[in-house]
Amino acid sequence: MPKAVNVRVTTMDAELEFAVQPSTTGKQLFDQVVKTIGLREVWYFGLQYMDGKGYLTWLKLDKKVSAQDVKKENPLQFKFRGKFFPEDVSEELIQDITQKLFFLQVKEGILSDEVYCPPETAVLLASYSVQAKFGDFSKEIHRPGYLTTDRLLPQRVMEQHKLSREQWEERIQVWHEEHRGMLKEDAMLEYLKIAQDLEMYGVNYFDIKNKKGTELWLGVDALGLNIYEKEDKLTPKIGFPWSEIRNISFNDKKFIIKPIDKKGPDFVFYAPRLRINKRILQLCMGNHELYMRRRKPDTIEVQQMKAQAREEKHQKQLERAQLENEKKKRETIEREKEQMEREKQELVMRLYQFEEKTKRAEKDLQEQMQRAMQLEQERRRAEEEAARLEAERQAALLAKEELARQAEDQLKSQEQLASELAEHTAKIVLLEEAKKRKEEEADSWQHRAREAQDDLLKTKEELHMVMSAPPPPPPPPMFEQVDDNSDSEENTSTHSADSAELQTEGINDHRNEEDRLTEAEKNERVQKQLMALSSELAQARDDTKKTQNDLLHSENVRAGRDKYKTLRQIRSGNTKQRIDEFEAL
């Protein structure tokens, strides 16, 4: 029995290992991979490998894996990648797995700078990438530094701005918070909707020359063939939509494209190697087929897939709504619990305050009672002193009377009697004045005693009200409603040729891509976000570190050009005019 061959296939987010037989074809291996990952939109993808000469090549599905020039390793290494890109991700991509694989592949292209992305767009895309990974931002979970281990921006962008990694993370976090409530799958789709408007998105570039020998780039993408000058991969100069091409062929290094207009000249260019022409032909055929398929009614299979995807999305929305409802209920309960705890703390504090107030009132009462007792004692002493003084006065009066009688009866010496009388009279005056003072003092003490008694009664009443008043009831709780490998022909003296006839009948609206708007033009929110980011980053930008692509992009923006406006411009005029323009480059 033939010995099995070990194969490792790396997708954008997983590694798969298989043991295949020497007779296994590329299609059998491909089918095994897509079955394993649950992918049905197989027409976009292919298996890529490094051949014996170090070139990246697409595995031919109709040939045995062992018969192709795969670099000899154990296990054999393949990458499962998107080979053909959709025109409009939101209209074409059906399965979540397809969307995720394209998201990861496009993100890798942007971060590695294979696809040029302006700084403000790079930051906005990074925030969608973070939402796709972490979901909604939460201060409790996403502490400062939660993005430290993530590769978020192209190195070029970070080097062009005087910002630390922490400052970049802060800016991305702010925009991450803006995406609250967005599903991870929707965040990936939003990322792709913005990324597909980038000029280099989904374009395969090839070195070519025209008949004059001018070195140019040929760009092959989902919309057609575009010609770029050597120093500018962002802005194509001439374009040919797939609907204008009826036949593609090559003979050795010469590549011939025949337009639908049979009166028009052939579009001819030259590639440096035969293998390049083989790959160009393969990509042209695949992209042309998908271009035409998009402009025809969906097949039954695609209709079924779309219906299933809608059902699955609806189910997810229901589940998310239920989860959100449960989350809101939990939040309501937590809020009520926190409210009750706050009210409890408030009641405890108020009770403590009542107790303190009561203690102070009792202390004041004791002090006032003591003061009242002191006042009462002072009053009594004043009364006793007044009584004593009265007794003395009475005694003096009696003595006076007695002296008077003696004066009358005994006729003593008038001078002696007058002297004694004057002495007693002065004493009486002094005693009457002292009595008067004591009476006034007694009245004062009596008045102060009455005031102390009134204060005592008032304090008792207040204390009684404080002790007898019930604590206020808590407020009612708030409720919410809740390739391609080099064939032997290239190393032999025989010529190699191949061709493909392209069908263009039965399609609808074949140039609708020329009327498209970018996501920023369609979506006012995205437009405002990009403007805000551009303004914010301008303050930290180091213009001395701008690359050629940065300068080209800035010029395009200044001239009001974008991907689709440029497309309309480079396709204007008839086919002959554009081919003549290509030959003149």
Coordinates of all heavy atoms in Angstrom, one line a residue, residues 151-180:
R151 N -1.5 43.4 17.9 CA -0.9 44.2 16.8 C -2.1 44.9 16.2 O -3.0 44.4 15.6 CB -0.3 43.1 15.8 CG 0.5 43.8 14.7 CD 1.1 42.7 13.9 NE 1.7 43.2 12.6 CZ 1.7 42.5 11.5 NH1 1.1 41.3 11.5 NH2 2.2 43.0 10.4
L152 N -2.0 46.2 16.3 CA -3.2 47.0 16.0 C -3.0 47.9 14.7 O -4.0 48.1 14.0 CB -3.5 48.0 17.2 CG -3.9 47.2 18.5 CD1 -3.9 48.2 19.6 CD2 -5.2 46.5 18.3
L153 N -1.8 48.4 14.5 CA -1.6 49.4 13.4 C -0.4 49.0 12.6 O 0.6 48.4 13.1 CB -1.4 50.8 14.0 CG -2.5 51.4 14.8 CD1 -2.0 52.6 15.6 CD2 -3.6 51.8 13.9
P154 N -0.3 49.4 11.3 CA 0.9 49.3 10.5 C 2.0 50.0 11.1 O 1.9 51.1 11.7 CB 0.5 49.9 9.1 CG -1.0 49.9 9.1 CD -1.4 50.1 10.5
Q155 N 3.2 49.4 11.1 CA 4.4 50.0 11.7 C 4.6 51.4 11.1 O 5.0 52.4 11.8 CB 5.6 49.1 11.4 CG 6.9 49.6 12.2 CD 6.7 49.5 13.7 OE1 6.0 48.7 14.2 NE2 7.4 50.4 14.4
R156 N 4.3 51.6 9.8 CA 4.5 52.9 9.1 C 3.7 54.0 9.8 O 4.2 55.1 10.1 CB 4.0 52.8 7.7 CG 3.8 54.1 7.0 CD 3.2 53.9 5.6 NE 2.0 53.0 5.5 CZ 0.8 53.5 5.8 NH1 0.6 54.8 6.1 NH2 -0.2 52.7 5.8
V157 N 2.5 53.7 10.2 CA 1.6 54.6 10.8 C 2.2 55.1 12.2 O 2.2 56.2 12.5 CB 0.2 54.1 11.0 CG1 -0.7 55.0 11.8 CG2 -0.4 53.9 9.6
M158 N 2.6 54.1 13.0 CA 3.2 54.4 14.3 C 4.4 55.3 14.2 O 4.6 56.2 15.0 CB 3.4 53.1 15.1 CG 2.1 52.4 15.5 SD 2.3 51.1 16.7 CE 3.1 49.9 15.7
E159 N 5.3 55.0 13.2 CA 6.5 55.7 13.1 C 6.3 57.1 12.6 O 7.1 58.0 12.8 CB 7.5 55.0 12.1 CG 8.0 53.7 12.7 CD 8.8 52.9 11.7 OE1 8.8 53.3 10.5 OE2 9.4 51.9 12.0
Q160 N 5.2 57.4 11.9 CA 4.9 58.7 11.4 C 4.3 59.7 12.4 O 4.1 60.8 12.0 CB 3.9 58.6 10.1 CG 4.6 58.0 8.9 CD 3.6 57.7 7.8 OE1 2.4 57.7 8.0 NE2 4.1 57.5 6.6
H161 N 4.0 59.2 13.6 CA 3.3 60.0 14.5 C 4.0 60.0 15.9 O 4.5 58.9 16.3 CB 1.8 59.6 14.7 CG 1.0 59.7 13.5 ND1 1.0 58.8 12.5 CD2 0.1 60.7 13.1 CE1 0.2 59.2 11.5 NE2 -0.3 60.4 11.9
K162 N 4.1 61.2 16.5 CA 4.9 61.2 17.8 C 4.0 60.9 18.9 O 3.6 61.7 19.8 CB 5.4 62.7 17.9 CG 6.4 63.1 16.8 CD 6.7 64.6 16.9 CE 7.6 65.0 15.7 NZ 7.8 66.4 15.7
L163 N 3.6 59.6 19.0 CA 2.7 59.1 20.0 C 3.3 57.8 20.6 O 3.8 57.0 19.8 CB 1.3 58.8 19.4 CG 0.5 60.0 18.9 CD1 -0.8 59.5 18.2 CD2 0.1 60.9 20.1
S164 N 3.2 57.6 21.9 CA 3.6 56.4 22.5 C 2.6 55.3 22.3 O 1.5 55.6 21.9 CB 3.8 56.6 24.0 OG 2.6 56.8 24.6
R165 N 3.0 54.1 22.5 CA 2.0 53.0 22.4 C 0.8 53.1 23.3 O -0.3 52.9 22.9 CB 2.7 51.6 22.7 CG 1.8 50.4 22.4 CD 2.4 49.1 22.4 NE 1.5 48.0 22.2 CZ 1.1 47.6 21.0 NH1 1.7 48.2 19.9 NH2 0.3 46.6 20.8
E166 N 1.1 53.7 24.5 CA -0.1 53.9 25.4 C -1.0 55.0 24.8 O -2.2 54.8 25.0 CB 0.5 54.4 26.8 CG 1.2 53.3 27.6 CD 2.6 53.1 27.0 OE1 3.1 53.9 26.3 OE2 3.2 52.0 27.4
Q167 N -0.5 56.0 24.2 CA -1.3 57.0 23.6 C -2.1 56.5 22.4 O -3.3 56.8 22.2 CB -0.5 58.2 23.2 CG 0.1 59.0 24.3 CD 1.0 60.1 23.9 OE1 1.9 59.8 23.1 NE2 0.9 61.3 24.4
W168 N -1.5 55.6 21.6 CA -2.3 55.0 20.5 C -3.4 54.1 21.1 O -4.5 54.2 20.6 CB -1.3 54.0 19.7 CG -0.4 54.7 18.7 CD1 0.9 54.8 18.7 CD2 -0.9 55.5 17.5 NE1 1.3 55.5 17.6 CE2 0.3 55.9 16.9 CE3 -2.1 55.8 17.0 CZ2 0.2 56.7 15.7 CZ3 -2.2 56.5 15.9 CH2 -1.1 57.0 15.2
E169 N -3.1 53.4 22.2 CA -4.1 52.5 22.8 C -5.2 53.3 23.3 O -6.4 52.9 23.2 CB -3.5 51.7 23.9 CG -2.5 50.6 23.3 CD -1.9 49.7 24.4 OE1 -2.3 49.9 25.6 OE2 -1.0 48.9 24.1
E170 N -4.9 54.5 23.9 CA -6.0 55.4 24.4 C -6.9 55.8 23.3 O -8.2 55.8 23.5 CB -5.4 56.6 25.1 CG -4.7 56.3 26.5 CD -4.0 57.5 27.0 OE1 -4.1 58.6 26.4 OE2 -3.3 57.3 28.0
R171 N -6.3 56.2 22.2 CA -7.2 56.7 21.1 C -8.0 55.5 20.5 O -9.2 55.7 20.2 CB -6.3 57.2 19.9 CG -5.8 58.6 20.2 CD -4.5 59.0 19.5 NE -4.2 60.4 19.7 CZ -3.7 60.9 20.9 NH1 -3.4 60.1 21.8 NH2 -3.4 62.2 21.0
I172 N -7.4 54.3 20.4 CA -8.2 53.2 19.9 C -9.3 52.8 20.9 O -10.4 52.4 20.5 CB -7.3 52.0 19.6 CG1 -6.3 52.4 18.4 CG2 -8.0 50.7 19.3 CD1 -5.2 51.4 18.2
Q173 N -9.0 52.9 22.2 CA -10.0 52.6 23.2 C -11.2 53.5 23.1 O -12.4 53.1 23.2 CB -9.4 52.7 24.6 CG -10.4 52.4 25.7 CD -9.9 52.8 27.0 OE1 -8.7 52.4 27.4 NE2 -10.6 53.5 27.8
V174 N -11.0 54.8 22.8 CA -12.1 55.8 22.7 C -13.0 55.3 21.6 O -14.2 55.4 21.8 CB -11.5 57.2 22.4 CG1 -12.6 58.1 22.0 CG2 -10.8 57.7 23.7
W175 N -12.4 54.9 20.4 CA -13.3 54.5 19.3 C -13.9 53.1 19.6 O -15.0 52.8 19.1 CB -12.5 54.6 18.0 CG -12.1 56.0 17.7 CD1 -10.9 56.6 17.9 CD2 -13.0 57.0 17.2 NE1 -11.0 57.9 17.6 CE2 -12.2 58.2 17.1 CE3 -14.3 57.0 16.8 CZ2 -12.7 59.4 16.7 CZ3 -14.8 58.2 16.3 CH2 -14.0 59.4 16.3
H176 N -13.2 52.3 20.3 CA -13.8 51.0 20.7 C -15.0 51.2 21.5 O -16.1 50.5 21.3 CB -12.7 50.2 21.6 CG -13.2 48.9 22.1 ND1 -12.6 48.2 23.1 CD2 -14.3 48.1 21.7 CE1 -13.3 47.1 23.4 NE2 -14.3 47.0 22.5
E177 N -15.0 52.2 22.4 CA -16.2 52.5 23.2 C -17.4 52.9 22.3 O -18.5 52.7 22.7 CB -15.9 53.5 24.3 CG -14.9 53.1 25.3 CD -14.6 54.2 26.3 OE1 -15.6 54.8 26.8 OE2 -13.4 54.4 26.6
E178 N -17.1 53.6 21.2 CA -18.1 54.0 20.3 C -18.9 52.9 19.7 O -20.1 53.1 19.2 CB -17.5 54.8 19.1 CG -17.0 56.2 19.5 CD -18.1 57.2 19.7 OE1 -18.9 57.3 18.7 OE2 -18.1 58.0 20.6
H179 N -18.4 51.7 19.6 CA -19.0 50.6 19.0 C -19.9 49.7 19.9 O -20.2 48.6 19.6 CB -18.0 49.7 18.3 CG -17.0 50.4 17.4 ND1 -17.4 51.4 16.6 CD2 -15.7 50.3 17.2 CE1 -16.4 51.9 15.9 NE2 -15.3 51.2 16.2
R180 N -20.2 50.3 21.1 CA -21.0 49.5 22.1 C -22.3 49.0 21.4 O -23.0 49.7 20.7 CB -21.3 50.4 23.3 CG -22.2 49.7 24.3 CD -22.3 50.5 25.5 NE -21.0 50.7 26.2 CZ -20.5 49.8 27.0 NH1 -21.1 48.7 27.2 NH2 -19.3 50.1 27.5

